[in-house]
Amino acid sequence: MTLTGADYVGWLLRANRRFGPAGELRSGRVFAEAYRTDGRPRLAPSHVTRWESGGLPAGRDVVRRYERLLGLEPESLVAVRDALYRALPDGSRPPPAGPPRPDERLHELLDLATSRHPLTGPQWGELTDLVEERPGLVLHPAALWRAIGEKLLADLITSEGTAWLQRQEAASRLLEHPAAGRPMIEACIDLVEDRRSPAVIEPLSLLDVTADPAANAYVLRHLETPDSDRHHQGALLAAVRKIERGHFAGDQWERLTRAVSVAGADGETGRLLAAVHRARADETDTVRRAPADETGAVTPAGRRAAEEATARLGPAGGADPVLAALVSTALDGVAVDRRVFAAMTIAQSPFQEPVSEVLLAGARRDLARRSGGDPARALQTMTMLGTGVHRPLLLDLLTGPGHDLAARRAAAWAMPHCGGRFTERQWRRILAGQRDTSVVHGVTYGIGTDGHQRLLAEIAADPSMPEIARTTARWLHS
């Protein structure tokens, strides 16, 4: 089964209407009546069915109407819609709608973006929508593009959930823009090069959006001679998508082939390397079709989790095939960005908590069965789902006895941007028992995203801490 962007967006609308708190709107007929209020034209229930089945793509205005009627956070479903279309094969992405809107709002948001005042996620989305409508837009001085890009990236790497997704999509729009693209590439590269910053994978993997030679060269550099394992992972993520989009040409293919041939092939790196090799083998003169497991295939683990989660909400019958595909991609997708967007799609639906609870139960079973095991994928997925349901397990993995290094590293790197919050006392307890540099680094990042400034200052000043943790603490504290 191959699913399109319209299928996923339709599922998101249907899931929120049928299983959300607005019980009176679960009837398609009642929802259609509510939709046509405020002077809107009459809407047939069949129209709702077509949107929600994917037969008729739902535009941004439709999705915003669903948000208002169902009492959802403004722009929360819109952000997921846009990200899904970007993550899927290029052919499924709808063109921008309509002519450019008047300039007044653009000028207001540009003034805000170039000031010291923060922008909300919806404001970043609106600003970059307006920029996207104007491919010939020129700013004076040109350095304003760079300032806007740096401000957006700083917001991005400290945001969580919907706020993160809104900024991720905004950054992608700027990278694709003829005038904003090159300054945005430079801002991404400078952030990767900043040794104080904990953000490496995000700004490096963002370069998959653009075919600019500078972005291609930087990704290839970190495939050939990466500064760290995280630099290598970010470059691999970008390379997989760049191959799908046909960004590489000429001798870049030979450099790419050599780089992946000499790299290791274990764990996550092995999965990504396999995707690079497969994409290279399937290269044609056009953009390559997305791998089958990224467009709707269902794994046994994904099907089981979706069935159990559906049962927890109460409806009779088996799991929805779209939910099963989303869970499968979130757990086992080759490309990390698709895993993220699949998880965030689930997170913006009533299935967020049921799926998280099912994954948590499975992770606990696996750990008990394997006497340690490797729970990394399930822990990462629960963090991407935006819940804190697994925080007690993370605390146990980092402070309890009998857990191996792989499990503790997985727990440490599932902490940053995890839903909920630990107290300063809990973080001190976690930090006190760690000796591994990677664990301390991940824990420091988690302390930062939980907002414990005093503890960050102490880590930054402590000469016994690993240097990478101290620099990360200094950057987050500032």
Side-chain angles (χ1 to χ4, degrees), residues 4 13 72 112-113 215 240 297 318 340 347 442 451 470:
T4 67
L13 299 179
L72 303 174
L112 189 60
V240 171
V340 170
R470 296 180 67 194

Side-chain angles (χ1 to χ4, degrees), residues 61 117-118 127 164 218 274 310 391 406 454:
D61 287 346
H117 295 284
L127 170 60
W164 178 89
Y218 193 70
T310 302
R391 276 206 180 242
R454 180 169 61 180

Side-chain angles (χ1 to χ4, degrees), residues 193-214:
E193 293 292 309
D194 187 344
R195 300 303 182 195
R196 302 167 301 165
S197 168
V200 171
I201 294 175
E202 281 176 316
L204 225 175
S205 61
L206 263 173
L207 298 178
D208 68 4
V209 170
T210 173
D212 188 285

